[in-house]
Amino acid sequence: QLAEKQEMNESPLSQFRGVYLPPALHPLNKTLVKDGKWKDGDSTQEKRRSFLHDFCKKYNSRKKLQTHLMHLVSRIYVEDRHKVLYCEVPKAGCSNWKRVLMVLNGLASSAHNISHDDVHYGKHLRKLDSYDLKGIYTRLNTYTKTIFVRDPMERLVSAFRDKFEHPNSYYHPVFGKAIIKKYRHNANEEALKTGSGVKFKEFIQYLLDSHRPVGMDIHWEQVSKLCYPCLINYDFIGKFETLEEDANYFLQLVGAPAELKFPNFKDRHSSDERTNAEVVKQYFKELSKEERQLTYDFYYLDYLMFNYTSP
C-alpha cells in the first residue's frame, strides 16, 4: 500500500491519464428514471455530450495535462449519498444547486429555507480536492458528474451587475478600487477610496488586460478553466437557459427524493430584471467594436464547447 501510495504521489497525472484525452463517452445510467416524460431531456443530453466529446477530440492536446490534479478538481462539490459531483459555475444557477446538494446530503429539509450566506459561507459541502488521491479517483470514476453552463456574455453581464452595481464589501474595495485607479482618468477621491461605481467599460478593460491590477475571479473566469470539460468526463451537461427542466431530469437520474424539485427563485437582488440577451445588448453598447470582439475572443472556447451561438 505504501509503495502504491508513493507511486501515486510521484505521478498523479500519469495515474490520472485514463480519465482523459478524450474521455470515453459512457452511456448515462437511466435505471432510476421513473417515467417516460424525460425522452426529450435524454436526447438533449446525448446531443450535448457527443458535441462536447467531438469538440475535445478535435481541439485537445497533451499539453493540457500539465494542470495539477488538485487544481482540476478544486471547483467540484461532492454529494456522497447520491454519488453526485457538481462543478460550480458561478452565475449559472450555482446557489440553488448548492441548496439542492445540501438537501440531498440530509443537511436541510428544503432548498427554500437556506440563506445565501449559509450556502456560500457555511462550509457544509465538501469539495473533491479535500479527499486523498484514492478518494478523488474513485469518485471521478464512479459518481455522476454534472456541469451547468450559461451563455458566456449573459454570465459576464450578470456577474458585473451582481458584484459592481450593488453594495459589496469584497468586490468594491478589492476589485473596484484597483479597476478605477487603473482605467479611470481623473477619478475622484471618493471613487478611489470606496471602489464603488465601476462602469461596465472599465470592467471590460480590466478583463482584457494581460497585466490586470487584480487577478481573475471565478464569477467571470471561463468555464473551460473552472471545470476543465475536456479533461473531466462530465456525464450530464445542463444549461442555464433550460435550468429547471435539465436540473429536474438530473435529479431523477440520481434517484433524488420525488418531492425534491429544483428551486426557481432568484437568489439575490430579486427585484432586478434577470440578465437576458436584451439586457446584455444594452451593456455592450458601451463598448467599442474592438472591445466587443476581444470579449467574445476571451470566451471563445466556452462558446465552442457548449455550442452557444456567437452573439
Side-chain angles (χ1 to χ4, degrees):
Q1 272 189 325
L2 274 172
E4 243 178 60
K5 201 169 184 182
Q6 195 179 356
E7 201 180 314
M8 284 175 98
N9 286 339
E10 278 168 9
S11 58
L13 285 175
S14 61
Q15 293 279 330
F16 209 46
R17 215 160 254 158
V19 182
Y20 299 158
L21 292 171
L25 258 187
H26 302 296
L28 258 179
N29 178 359
K30 296 170 214 145
T31 48
L32 298 170
V33 176
K34 300 282 190 293
D35 53 45
K37 74 170 186 173
W38 301 105
K39 277 203 174 77
D40 288 352
D42 183 45
S43 82
T44 299
Q45 278 311 309
E46 292 313 317
K47 281 179 198 150
R48 286 177 190 167
R49 278 154 42 95
S50 62
F51 186 91
L52 179 61
H53 185 259
D54 293 346
F55 166 84
C56 294
K57 222 174 183 169
K58 192 172 164 188
Y59 288 90
N60 223 339
S61 68
R62 288 214 165 260
K63 283 180 206 150
K64 298 203 175 137
L65 267 181
Q66 300 315 306
T67 311
H68 192 279
L69 168 64
M70 289 305 182
H71 181 69
L72 278 182
V73 301
S74 64
R75 306 276 3 131
I76 296 179
Y77 284 87
V78 179
E79 199 286 286
D80 281 317
R81 279 187 176 185
H82 297 80
K83 301 194 168 177
V84 170
L85 295 181
Y86 162 70
C87 187
E88 176 189 28
V89 176
K91 313 312 297 175
C94 75
S95 301
N96 280 338
W97 258 118
K98 288 187 198 170
R99 288 183 171 95
V100 165
L101 293 178
M102 284 170 72
V103 174
L104 286 174
N105 213 5
L107 298 166
S109 56
S110 160
H112 289 269
N113 47 22
I114 308 169
S115 73
H116 178 87
D117 284 359
D118 218 18
V119 165
H120 291 287
Y121 311 115
K123 305 269 187 272
H124 301 293
L125 299 165
R126 275 187 83 170
K127 285 187 181 168
L128 194 51
D129 62 358
S130 69
Y131 293 82
D132 62 12
L133 279 177
K134 187 170 184 280
I136 292 172
Y137 296 138
T138 304
R139 285 167 178 80
L140 277 170
N141 286 314
T142 58
Y143 283 22
T144 307
K145 300 174 288 297
T146 186
I147 179 175
F148 272 69
V149 298
R150 184 178 187 177
D151 173 273
M153 297 309 180
E154 283 189 24
R155 190 176 152 244
L156 177 68
V157 171
S158 175
F160 172 78
R161 293 174 76 200
D162 181 23
K163 303 305 175 196
F164 295 102
E165 291 186 349
H166 294 274
N168 192 297
S169 59
Y170 172 71
Y171 285 89
H172 292 201
V174 175
F175 286 87
K177 276 161 84 163
I179 289 172
I180 289 170
K181 187 178 175 188
K182 183 161 185 183
Y183 308 106
R184 186 178 298 178
H185 306 301
N186 310 320
N188 65 39
E189 201 81 7
E190 178 68 8
L192 288 167
K193 199 172 86 185
T194 63
S196 298
V198 169
K199 295 180 173 68
F200 186 63
K201 191 180 176 77
E202 295 166 339
F203 172 65
I204 295 299
Q205 286 174 301
Y206 144 79
L207 185 80
L208 301 174
D209 187 348
S210 55
H211 303 288
R212 291 183 199 101
V214 268
M216 270 304 275
D217 181 84
I218 58 166
H219 290 84
W220 44 87
E221 181 67 277
Q222 300 105 316
V223 177
S224 53
K225 290 185 180 171
L226 286 172
C227 296
Y228 298 94
C230 280
L231 300 182
I232 292 172
N233 183 14
Y234 290 98
D235 303 292
F236 191 97
I237 301 159
K239 289 196 170 182
F240 186 79
E241 293 74 14
T242 47
L243 179 59
E244 276 180 79
E245 197 181 310
D246 292 349
N248 287 324
Y249 177 42
F250 180 78
L251 290 173
Q252 281 267 318
L253 283 170
V254 298
E259 66 278 7
L260 178 61
K261 298 284 179 276
F262 192 80
N264 63 1
F265 58 82
K266 196 169 186 290
D267 191 43
R268 293 199 303 167
H269 318 311
S270 51
S271 59
D272 288 5
E273 182 188 0
R274 268 198 196 275
T275 303
N276 55 31
E278 205 41 57
V279 170
V280 169
K281 208 181 264 184
Q282 298 310 312
Y283 280 82
F284 272 74
K285 275 181 182 167
E286 297 173 29
L287 308 182
S288 68
K289 196 175 177 186
E290 186 192 15
E291 285 168 330
R292 288 200 292 266
Q293 181 61 49
L294 289 170
T295 307
Y296 169 69
D297 294 346
F298 187 82
Y299 291 105
Y300 181 59
L301 268 187
D302 287 0
Y303 272 100
L304 286 185
M305 279 181 171
F306 301 108
N307 200 15
Y308 278 109
T309 312
S310 309

